[in-house]
Amino acid sequence: MIQLVTPDYIKTLQDNMHKLAEGVLRPISRKYDEAEHEYPKELDMFRGIKVMARPKKKKEGESSTSGEEKKPKRGANLGMVVTIEEMCWGDAALLLSFPNAGLGNAAILAVANDEQLERFGNKWAAMAITEPGAGSDSGAITTTATRDGDYWILNGEKIFVTCADRSEVVVVWATVDKKAGKAGIKSFVVEKGTPGFTLEHLEHKLGIRASDTGTFVLSDCRIPYNNILGDPEVKMSTEGFKGVMKTFDNTRPLVASMATGIARAAVEFTREQYEKKGYAFDYKKNLSNVSAVEREWYLMDANVEAMRLLTWRAAWMADNNQFNNLEASMAKAKAGRYATLITQRCSELLGPVGYSTQYLAEKWMRDSKIMDIFEGTGQIQHLIIARNVLEMSSKELK
Amino acid sequence: MIQLVTPDYIKTLQDNMHKLAEGVLRPISRKYDEAEHEYPKELDMFRGIKVMARPKKKKEGESSTSGEEKKPKRGANLGMVVTIEEMCWGDAALLLSFPNAGLGNAAILAVANDEQLERFGNKWAAMAITEPGAGSDSGAITTTATRDGDYWILNGEKIFVTCADRSEVVVVWATVDKKAGKAGIKSFVVEKGTPGFTLEHLEHKLGIRASDTGTFVLSDCRIPYNNILGDPEVKMSTEGFKGVMKTFDNTRPLVASMATGIARAAVEFTREQYEKKGYAFDYKKNLSNVSAVEREWYLMDANVEAMRLLTWRAAWMADNNQFNNLEASMAKAKAGRYATLITQRCSELLGPVGYSTQYLAEKWMRDSKIMDIFEGTGQIQHLIIARNVLEMSSKELK
Amino acid sequence: MVEEISFALSEEQQMMQDTVRQLVQANVIDAIHQWDENRLLDKQAVQKFWELGIIQSMIPEEYGGYGMGSSPVLHTLVLEELAFGDMAFAVYAMLPALFVLPVVNLGSTEQKEKYLPEFCKESFVPATLAVNELSVGFDVWNCETKAEKKGNTYVLNGKKCFVPLADEAKHMIVIAHYEGNPHLFIVDKDTKGLSVGEREKNCGWWALPTFEVTFENCTIPEINKLGDETAFNWLIQRTRTAMAAIGTGISRASYEYSKKYAKERQQFGEPIASRQSIAFMIAEMAYEVDAMRLLTWKAASAIELGMDANRESFLAKIYAGEMTMKLTDYGVQILGGHGYIRDHPVERYYRNGRSIAICEAMAII
Amino acid sequence: MVEEISFALSEEQQMMQDTVRQLVQANVIDAIHQWDENRLLDKQAVQKFWELGIIQSMIPEEYGGYGMGSSPVLHTLVLEELAFGDMAFAVYAMLPALFVLPVVNLGSTEQKEKYLPEFCKESFVPATLAVNELSVGFDVWNCETKAEKKGNTYVLNGKKCFVPLADEAKHMIVIAHYEGNPHLFIVDKDTKGLSVGEREKNCGWWALPTFEVTFENCTIPEINKLGDETAFNWLIQRTRTAMAAIGTGISRASYEYSKKYAKERQQFGEPIASRQSIAFMIAEMAYEVDAMRLLTWKAASAIELGMDANRESFLAKIYAGEMTMKLTDYGVQILGGHGYIRDHPVERYYRNGRSIAICEAMAII
């Protein structure tokens, strides 16, 4: 039965996460924006907390329909997007800097075997996909992995790696067979300190400056054969690649909730500032008969709500084992785009207060912009949605 | 030297045309919107006025540098867009119903030989290009013209013909050689009453209802050989087709000024209505510190000005013999899109007054929409602009 | 205690959605263009909807109804499906609810006894609500129709517009300002001082007869005031959410029609959907229709739980207002010249779609 | 009597445009990224611009200038070219005009004699204008810095932000409210009660030092009031048009850079410009840059003719403010991840571009 009022347990989660964001992240938000790339040591308190964990395997003989499982499904995905929205209300770049919560950790948890989990499960893992020659075109990867007995030899260059400096291992995407196209693409765990694995430099960015984005060069980098994640065999289909891409179905709602969190921060700040000037926001009147700030504010508030609901739906579907590829892209497309529009409109309404670094509004305007770019640009998301609803292939709709 | 303040002679023209629009068109605007397709007999007063005329050929011996010509160039194109903006402030559908001012008349004036000018120069001429199977794709025309001695035999169907009912002759685009592609496309004058030339029906439309848009069927329609406009020879290049398409460089600024006229009508009406409620518009304050209506209104006013200036530039370039293909599309792209956005925002700000037919605001919201569609949709205009500035061919950028 | 969130329809909701969808498919889709051109819909289709018993279900058994209560969420589903067919049809078919729901929820026993039984009959009973006024930037919270107390009567003065079926409505609820707030007053047909004007002409809703209604010292008994000073706030949350549901339906119709068209229509040798400029419009329509619906459902969920939904219903309405304008515009643009012709329904969606942002309270959930 | 309209540059205008464009190309384009990162530009580049004599030309010969008068249209051309290189550079290089032009046009003979000669020297002379205030939704017509008349002095109280080069400026014009209107007051360096704060950090303009400036019972002689109650209106039209010219320059830079990138960058085997979603953004940038420029030129034309240009300058600024935001956003989006990195200038255009809508009066024409 349709029921979209926020349930009490989610409200409790929101409250708790909000306090954390307000108490821990907000106070250091500006500091680490200015100290670009410096590790926020205050985040060490999160190192012990298992942000990500693999669901425990059932022990033999354990009933698969225990009493607990009959309860209504309260899934991890919805909890995750709720948490992330609050954290990004605090600071998105700091969220991206949480220890042991890299994209690589998600990949390892998803597909590593027990032996790999043992070796890498407790290490901070970054993810290296993008190359200088290929942005949104993940299928065009040119980094190679060549087998040499008990080793793989990796060669190539990887850019836009989040947590490049702070991570302990990096999950690197490479092809084992260029002729095989997408089917040849596999992922490998490369440990920091491996000879031939160099962090070239860290990027200076428009926003999310606390996050250390970097470029790696792999030059005859030799890693153990067992560091390959998933099936080493090249199958003559793109099922494997699609499997890898599926990780993104899960990360897109996360990015959408990041966007929602930043946009909400800007919208709330704008409201507070104008309330101090004596404006009242009461959700009643006709949009024409209010001040310019109120009109804009109501529309932004509605859009933040739309971003959130699209995101929650995608997460809820994942929690209920529904295929959410389309809905994940919808959330990302909407939230990514509108986060930028909303934060910049807030700054405009605020005037000089929206431009000076004495306040955080200008920072949100910069941070939010990445949400329409990483994990697939807005253009890519629109393509995915359009192909899906039009039932057209990537050849029919380029 | 750059000088964009409206010159006095243009102001005089604006004033005169405005009086005409206010005195003659506005009073019958609603009447003929409701009497869809009925000929506005009040427009007969314009029948005698030469709205379009071919520049007189110089007589032999006449100096080409007479005293008059030394004066700064005050071209026909700028005068035309200024006139059209005022007329469409009055009523766009009525402007499209002006006797003897059809698109076909423009084509005849541009390329007819003396004998043809004699026969058709004083007749109301419509233009028939679009076919059911081809919208923006003028090169895909399938109506055929086959030579049969002293005649052409035409077969095909034409849709979206403006002044379909009221016109006396129709300029029909047809191919004389399908294999030749665009090079085979020619235009022919077909007189009403010719056997095999049937006006199938008139279209009921969203807006510009006073204008009689119709569908023609040509079924073994036999016309004199001399009714072909321009060179009958099929050259193995698309120069001829490009020549035909060039007429559109001249019509695009006209459509842009139509869009500007309608948008301005809506913007002025909205201002008047709100001034009656005590609002003042003084062009001074910060956009955040005004009412919602003022903020929206200032932005619309700025956009109307932008539409007008882009249009005037394209016309001014034509008057000064500069190639304005790009600038014509820029004016059309901007004005076509924003006319719709502006008129609908005005209606929204006006509330029920923007929806009832007791006022004209709802009509402008409907009329304006065609401006982003006919004479090349907004999408086509953006393609033209993008190919031009990116220097890409129609193969490279589809 | 709100326990769970759910984006899925229950079986009952699914069944209702299917039923209304089928009814619209069978009775409205093919006929609506002609109804629109004729400026009148076929009352038989309305009667068929009436026979589903949705209105009668809202009425308690003691007054002759089915006593099923009313579910705001269910009603948003119904309205979306009806508006998918046509907004005029949606307003027309659900019109009696605009009278019945306030009486059921806000009325005194006396009022319920007097009015509810006649809505339990086998035929559609016209009743209506007079809210909108033909004033610039009309603000419903500050309407110009006034009520004045005189002895044991109220005297109404003012003018309303966009009142559906005012000519045949047996009763109407009139929103008038009284003691600083909008209030609800019941005015019966043939009350002195109530005059119904000529049928209005509007940009859209051609299949729906609407009227200007004038109140000139229109005097009604004291007992005709419906609810207290909180009544209007009760009403407006439900009507705003209903407008959002209608906007969702219109927008979805525009989206689905233009999506199908874009796949079929060939230009330059390929379907126009293969161009990103068209495909991205369709993608945007896809997620904005969903966003509108989710905002609507959230407002309806809050109302259903008996919570204050001022914010949720306001956001749902303004969002649907802006987006319906945008999406119905996209629909016409995707069809190009063909979209401008009344043969294709996107033209009608465009005209009707403009009213969501412009009007208040044409339906209720 | 306005005789003709013209969209073409005169020879003189063309020459000036070429000169400044070349200067920017030779001295700014390659260096600006480092200046921006270093938070300071190379003053030699400013000095080279100074040596073009544009500021000195504005000053009448009797005060040591070239006495060429000043052309608002010409200055918009100059500002667009400078801002095409960098906004911080544009503001910095043209800064003395913010002091000189008001004195030339509004000043008494005494003021002209006192201030103008020092701007005719061979080296750049820092002088500035204090307008903006760090308040929510700052409205320049209702600024909070106040002037009070006391005997034959004015006493200023208040706080200004975004004052370029306040630390080294020999003089500044301060906008303060007096008798219901904003007025212009000249405050010399080291005046008691004037204190310049730490260098500000802002979203953009990294190569430009700006400061918060506080006035605490800052007392200046009566004769330091510049112009009458119409002076501010004279000023704001010229500064708004100048902001529009800067917006045009930034937007054009973003447009040209991302256009070139889109043609070169390959993805899925083709340049990304071959996708309509990218190509249409570029098309929109192309005509919006032109539209911004035409609105700017129109305002400047009106000012040049000595007409009231309140409407024209306001429209030019708000249009440029909205569009610069949109177009610099497009620039980053077209480059995708690469646009987010400070190695590409679209990142800087994005940060600087946000200030057109947010600030008043960083330059003058």
Side-chain angles (χ1 to χ4, degrees), chain C residues 110-124:
Chain C
E110 201 180 348
Q111 289 168 333
K112 289 181 193 175
E113 279 171 357
K114 180 173 176 194
Y115 292 110
L116 295 180
E118 60 180 307
F119 289 92
C120 303
K121 303 199 176 132
E122 280 170 20
S123 299
F124 176 85

Side-chain angles (χ1 to χ4, degrees), chain B residues 34 36 131-137 159-160 201 203-209 273-274 277 337 340-341 344-345 347-359 362 365-370 372-373 377-380 398, chain C residues 37 39 132-138 161-162 200-206 212 265-270 275 277-278 281 322 325-326 329-330 332-333 336-343 347 350-355 357-359:
Chain B
E34 294 188 347
E36 197 165 17
E131 301 182 354
S136 306
D137 186 3
I159 60 174
F160 301 158
H201 64 272
E203 304 291 358
H204 297 279
K205 299 190 300 298
L206 170 60
I208 55 163
R209 291 187 185 142
Q273 293 292 316
Y274 271 95
K277 282 184 77 175
R337 180 87 200 104
T340 300
L341 295 177
Q344 80 184 17
R345 182 52 46 95
S347 281
E348 188 186 349
L349 295 175
L350 289 166
V353 168
Y355 204 69
S356 165
T357 63
Q358 289 187 42
Y359 301 88
E362 67 81 30
M365 187 162 66
R366 293 184 285 104
D367 287 355
S368 61
K369 183 65 208 160
I370 194 64
D372 204 23
I373 295 176
T377 61
Q379 284 66 37
I380 294 293
K398 284 185 209 173
Chain C
E37 289 291 327
R39 307 297 194 274
N132 293 288
E133 296 174 1
L134 199 56
S135 66
V136 172
F138 169 65
C161 70
F162 302 163
E200 292 171 339
K201 293 178 200 161
N202 296 310
C203 178
W205 319 323
W206 284 359
E212 197 166 80
R265 173 80 176 167
Q266 300 276 324
Q267 206 153 64
F268 302 103
E270 287 180 281
R275 306 289 173 226
S277 60
I278 302 293
M281 276 198 259
E322 295 295 312
M325 253 193 285
K326 188 175 191 176
D329 183 18
Y330 280 9
V332 172
Q333 190 67 26
H338 295 275
Y340 204 70
I341 304 293
R342 298 214 289 275
D343 296 353
E347 186 274 341
Y350 183 97
R351 281 186 288 109
N352 292 340
R354 254 110 275 268
S355 69
I358 286 172
C359 303

Side-chain angles (χ1 to χ4, degrees), chain D residues 43-222:
Chain D
K43 290 186 185 176
Q44 287 198 311
V46 172
Q47 177 62 23
K48 276 189 186 149
F49 177 78
W50 176 265
E51 286 165 11
L52 294 182
I54 291 173
I55 309 286
Q56 301 91 315
S57 300
M58 303 168 182
I59 299 171
E61 286 181 63
E62 61 254 54
Y63 307 111
Y66 308 161
M68 317 271 283
S70 64
S71 159
V73 173
L74 202 66
H75 295 163
T76 65
L77 296 176
V78 170
L79 279 169
E80 180 185 329
E81 293 309 318
L82 293 174
F84 177 83
D86 184 64
M87 177 168 175
F89 180 72
V91 171
Y92 202 129
M94 280 288 275
L95 199 61
L98 273 173
F99 186 87
V100 168
L101 272 182
V103 172
V104 168
N105 285 278
L106 307 167
S108 63
T109 310
E110 202 178 348
Q111 289 168 332
K112 289 181 192 174
E113 278 171 355
K114 180 173 177 195
Y115 293 109
L116 294 181
E118 61 180 305
F119 288 92
C120 302
K121 300 192 177 138
E122 280 171 21
S123 297
F124 176 85
V125 182
T128 193
L129 177 71
V131 178
N132 294 288
E133 296 174 1
L134 198 57
S135 66
V136 172
F138 169 64
D139 180 1
V140 66
W141 286 90
N142 293 298
C143 65
E144 281 169 31
T145 300
K146 308 285 177 203
E148 212 183 333
K149 182 123 193 214
K150 279 200 181 164
N152 54 0
T153 66
Y154 287 99
V155 181
L156 305 183
N157 276 292
K159 203 180 249 190
K160 294 289 181 182
C161 70
F162 303 163
V163 187
L165 304 196
D167 58 338
E168 41 178 318
K170 301 209 165 126
H171 321 285
M172 65 174 77
I173 294 173
V174 178
I175 306 303
H177 227 262
Y178 173 67
E179 289 188 343
N181 268 310
H183 280 254
L184 282 63
F185 299 90
I186 299 174
V187 180
D188 298 322
K189 198 174 166 69
D190 302 326
T191 302
K192 213 184 140 204
L194 157 72
S195 58
V196 176
E198 290 286 288
R199 183 173 166 184
E200 294 171 336
K201 292 178 199 160
N202 296 310
C203 177
W205 319 324
W206 285 358
L208 175 75
T210 68
F211 299 85
E212 196 166 79
V213 176
T214 309
F215 302 92
E216 220 181 320
N217 291 323
C218 176
T219 306
I220 54 172
E222 190 178 27

Side-chain angles (χ1 to χ4, degrees), chain A residues 86-391:
Chain A
E86 295 306 322
M87 289 297 156
C88 290
W89 177 92
D91 189 295
L94 293 175
L95 174 81
L96 289 168
S97 306
F98 268 42
N100 293 20
L103 267 178
N105 289 94
I108 289 171
L109 281 170
V111 294
N113 57 36
D114 286 349
E115 182 270 331
Q116 290 169 332
L117 210 58
E118 183 80 16
R119 282 196 288 151
F120 308 123
N122 289 316
K123 289 187 172 166
W124 192 340
M127 180 96 108
I129 305 171
T130 312
E131 301 182 354
S136 307
D137 187 2
S138 307
I141 280 173
T142 61
T143 296
T144 54
T146 316
R147 181 154 184 191
D148 182 22
D150 288 345
Y151 295 92
W152 292 100
I153 300 171
L154 273 59
N155 278 289
E157 185 177 350
K158 291 290 178 183
I159 60 174
F160 301 159
V161 181
T162 302
C163 302
D165 191 28
R166 298 163 194 164
S167 60
E168 295 155 281
V169 301
V170 181
V171 175
V172 174
W173 290 30
T175 174
V176 295
D177 181 0
K178 274 198 182 171
K179 291 191 298 284
K182 291 180 177 176
I185 294 169
K186 304 285 171 186
S187 53
F188 303 84
V189 182
V190 183
E191 293 193 71
K192 289 283 185 72
T194 308
F197 187 52
T198 321
L199 174 56
E200 275 286 297
H201 64 269
L202 296 178
E203 305 291 357
H204 296 279
K205 299 191 299 301
L206 170 59
I208 53 163
R209 291 188 185 140
S211 174
D212 55 329
T213 310
T215 295
F216 284 101
V217 171
L218 297 121
S219 175
D220 286 332
C221 173
R222 182 178 292 261
I223 58 167
Y225 180 79
N226 286 337
N227 280 20
I228 188 168
L229 292 173
D231 186 0
E233 199 185 327
V234 177
K235 291 188 179 125
M236 278 309 108
S237 82
T238 57
E239 283 313 305
F241 183 76
K242 280 184 188 161
V244 179
M245 293 304 287
K246 226 176 251 179
T247 1
F248 290 108
D249 293 353
N250 295 327
T251 58
R252 272 178 266 135
L254 305 188
V255 174
S257 60
M258 293 176 71
T260 308
I262 301 176
R264 196 185 104 213
V267 162
E268 285 185 5
F269 178 75
T270 304
R271 177 180 177 147
E272 283 160 20
Q273 292 293 316
Y274 270 96
E275 280 177 343
K276 279 187 201 160
K277 283 184 77 175
Y279 284 64
F281 298 81
D282 74 350
Y283 300 106
K284 274 190 180 170
K285 300 178 93 180
N286 177 306
L287 276 191
S288 309
N289 287 325
V290 293
S291 68
V293 172
E294 283 166 281
R295 181 192 165 89
E296 293 290 333
W297 194 85
Y298 291 132
L299 290 171
M300 291 192 293
D301 196 27
N303 272 290
V304 170
E305 191 71 53
M307 291 153 71
R308 182 181 299 118
L309 287 171
L310 288 171
T311 306
W312 284 20
R313 178 179 64 166
W316 182 88
M317 288 175 71
D319 285 337
N320 286 272
N321 298 318
Q322 296 176 22
F323 183 59
N324 72 349
N325 175 282
L326 172 63
E327 290 77 8
S329 281
M330 285 180 162
K332 169 80 167 72
K334 172 78 188 180
R337 179 89 201 101
Y338 277 77
T340 300
L341 295 177
I342 287 169
T343 53
Q344 78 184 19
R345 182 52 47 92
C346 284
S347 281
E348 188 185 349
L349 294 174
L350 290 166
V353 169
Y355 205 68
S356 164
T357 63
Q358 288 187 41
Y359 302 88
L360 288 169
E362 67 82 31
K363 179 178 186 298
W364 296 325
M365 187 161 67
R366 294 183 284 103
D367 287 355
S368 62
K369 183 64 205 158
I370 195 63
M371 302 303 156
D372 205 22
I373 295 176
F374 69 1
E375 303 290 306
T377 62
Q379 284 65 39
I380 294 293
Q381 304 305 333
H382 279 81
L383 259 186
I384 294 172
I385 298 164
R387 285 175 187 154
N388 195 311
V389 300
L390 284 159
E391 300 172 63

Side-chain angles (χ1 to χ4, degrees), chain C residues 82-95:
Chain C
L82 293 174
F84 178 83
D86 184 62
M87 175 167 176
F89 180 73
V91 172
Y92 201 129
M94 280 288 276
L95 199 60

Side-chain angles (χ1 to χ4, degrees), chain C residues 1 22 24 61 92-93 95 110 123 140 142 146 163 178 184 186 193 203 207 212 226 228 235 251 283 299 307 338 347:
Chain C
M1 194 58 200
Q22 281 158 21
V24 166
E61 286 181 63
Y92 201 129
L95 199 60
E110 201 180 348
S123 299
V140 67
N142 293 298
K146 308 284 178 205
V163 187
Y178 174 66
L184 282 63
I186 299 174
C203 178
E212 197 166 80
L226 185 58
D228 56 18
L235 181 80
S251 298
M307 305 166 85
H338 295 275
E347 186 274 341

Side-chain angles (χ1 to χ4, degrees), chain C residues 139-212:
Chain C
D139 180 2
V140 67
W141 286 91
N142 293 298
C143 67
E144 281 168 31
T145 300
K146 308 284 178 205
E148 210 184 335
K149 182 122 192 216
K150 280 200 180 163
N152 54 0
T153 65
Y154 287 100
V155 181
L156 305 183
N157 275 291
K159 203 180 251 190
K160 294 288 180 181
C161 70
F162 302 163
V163 187
L165 304 196
D167 60 336
E168 41 177 318
K170 300 207 165 131
H171 320 285
M172 64 174 77
I173 294 172
V174 178
I175 306 303
H177 227 262
Y178 174 66
E179 288 187 342
N181 269 309
H183 279 254
L184 282 63
F185 299 90
I186 299 174
V187 180
D188 298 323
K189 198 174 165 70
D190 303 327
T191 302
K192 215 185 139 203
L194 158 72
S195 57
V196 176
E198 290 285 290
R199 182 173 166 184
E200 292 171 339
K201 293 178 200 161
N202 296 310
C203 178
W205 319 323
W206 284 359
L208 176 75
T210 69
F211 299 85
E212 197 166 80

